[in-house]
Amino acid sequence: MTLSPDRAPQPPAFSRIRRNHALEHATIHLLAARFPRRPLVGRSDTLGFTLYGEVTTQAVEQATLEALDRLRRGESGLALHPNCGTNLLTAGILAGGAAFLALLASRPDERLRDRLLRLPTAILAATLALIAAQPVGMILQQRVTTYADPGPLRVVAVQQLRRTPFCVHRILTAH
């Protein structure tokens, strides 16, 4: 733990990111329910998270505070999101790795025709990996990249950074 300028103990950086990531997901869940079919993207760090999407600052602030309250009341499912970058990265790694392994037997002097004969196997391997990726990604979110217990997390500020060409909000937190 490190000490902040006011001498209050701070949790390690990774723990702060995980809590902010959980709050980001919970906020996006609530905003998506209020504004269906409106694209929203978030990115978390040690100081809070940045939210990209056409929503008002008031809506972001309300959703963030409600999300924090609901996480505190034990709604841990809000901390996980199916479109999280963790899931996308997991899918890419598993599908790419599966295709690579399926094509690994290629020899440098092998004819293109022989390599193409293994292509259906590579496609099947990548497809199976993509099917496995969603539950694996959700497990990774739950155990590694988010932490649904906000603990001492609090929202310090919700600021609109930019309005055009798209809306960007910065949510600052303290632990």
Side-chain angles (χ1 to χ4, degrees):
M1 287 196 169
T2 59
L3 294 178
S4 67
D6 66 356
R7 302 285 187 229
Q10 294 291 305
F14 191 63
S15 176
R16 291 194 307 267
I17 293 170
R18 289 181 69 203
R19 285 186 163 110
N20 286 331
H21 195 192
L23 181 59
E24 170 207 321
H25 284 182
T27 300
I28 289 174
H29 275 297
L30 297 180
L31 287 169
R34 292 178 190 153
F35 305 101
R37 295 179 300 279
R38 190 167 298 178
L40 297 166
V41 176
R43 187 186 55 78
S44 298
D45 56 46
T46 58
L47 301 176
F49 63 95
T50 305
L51 186 68
Y52 305 85
E54 292 299 322
V55 288
T56 66
T57 304
Q58 181 181 2
V60 173
E61 184 174 353
Q62 288 173 348
T64 303
L65 294 174
E66 181 182 342
L68 182 57
D69 182 56
R70 289 173 66 173
L71 286 171
R72 282 208 170 95
R73 288 188 278 129
E75 291 187 51
S76 60
L78 290 173
L80 307 177
H81 199 283
N83 296 328
C84 177
T86 301
N87 287 21
L88 300 174
L89 182 61
T90 301
I93 290 170
L94 291 181
F100 173 77
L101 290 174
L103 297 171
L104 194 59
S106 296
R107 294 183 318 273
D109 61 338
E110 189 174 31
R111 293 182 315 178
L112 178 60
R113 181 181 180 276
D114 293 330
R115 288 182 187 189
L116 288 175
L117 289 174
R118 279 197 301 283
L119 186 58
T121 302
I123 291 170
L124 176 62
T127 301
L128 293 174
L130 287 171
I131 291 168
Q134 176 119 19
V136 171
M138 294 300 269
I139 290 167
L140 286 173
Q141 278 185 67
Q142 184 177 25
R143 296 187 181 166
V144 180
T145 65
T146 68
Y147 188 47
D149 177 5
L153 181 70
R154 59 186 164 74
V155 177
V156 175
V158 176
Q159 307 164 332
Q160 183 174 313
L161 301 181
R162 193 173 7 183
R163 183 75 189 130
T164 56
F166 49 84
C167 196
V168 179
H169 285 90
R170 180 72 176 145
I171 295 82
L172 298 173
T173 62
H175 297 258

